[in-house]
Amino acid sequence: MISPLLSAQRSTSLKRSPLRRSPNFSTRALTDEEHGLGDQKIAASEQVLFRIASFANGDARAAYNTLELCVRGAKPSLDGVVHITSELLEDVLQRKLLRYDKSGEEHYNLISALHKSVRNSDPDAALYWLARMLESGEDPLYLARRMVRMASEDIGLAEPALSPSR
């Protein structure tokens, strides 16, 4: 904004929330009766709430809008509970959700595939696995640390002239 406009109004910058805190927005929205969806019976797994947070990328408004679209798009079960499933979330987001669990076996399978792609000098495969992990919600800082480790260990040992001397 230009200076004359800034002096005549109050400006507030909104920053994205870290991904690890983002599922809290959806949980709070599901329980808050006054400002959220707490007056309805809604069931959603932590995995679905994490996927909503990943898609929202730290933006609480986007997370709430996605959650609200899921609730409006779901039919309540016989007991009146609205179940938000992965399939429903895929329909709402109109994109396929990638299978991924940050603390489980799939995490290690994908990071292993990334390492093997780098070791095999296959840049297309390495970019695919890197993009897949980022798209699935992996912490970018974790991936950056792993790539530095790959560069120093795998690439540095294969071609010592590329490593900085000590």
Side-chain angles (χ1 to χ4, degrees), residues 43-115:
S45 69
E46 286 194 29
Q47 179 187 11
V48 168
L49 296 179
F50 180 79
R51 293 293 186 175
I52 291 172
S54 295
F55 176 76
N57 196 23
D59 185 347
R61 293 169 299 167
Y64 183 78
N65 289 339
T66 303
L67 186 62
E68 189 175 28
L69 286 171
C70 286
V71 170
R72 288 184 181 184
K75 291 187 178 182
S77 60
L78 295 175
D79 56 354
V81 177
V82 173
H83 294 277
I84 301 175
T85 63
S86 294
E87 294 78 22
L88 174 64
L89 185 58
E90 285 178 15
D91 280 349
V92 168
L93 299 177
Q94 296 182 352
R95 58 194 269 192
K96 182 89 171 132
L97 295 177
L98 300 172
R99 186 170 162 242
Y100 188 70
D101 56 340
K102 282 174 83 170
S103 60
E105 186 177 343
E106 192 65 19
H107 165 78
Y108 295 105
N109 290 342
L110 293 181
I111 197 67
S112 174
L114 176 63
H115 273 266

Side-chain angles (χ1 to χ4, degrees), residues 13 18 33 43 46 61 63 65 93 112 122 138 141-142 152 159:
S13 295
E33 292 184 15
E46 286 194 29
R61 293 169 299 167
N65 289 339
L93 299 177
S112 174
D122 187 349
E138 181 59 73
L141 187 58
Y142 169 78
S152 65
E159 186 60 53

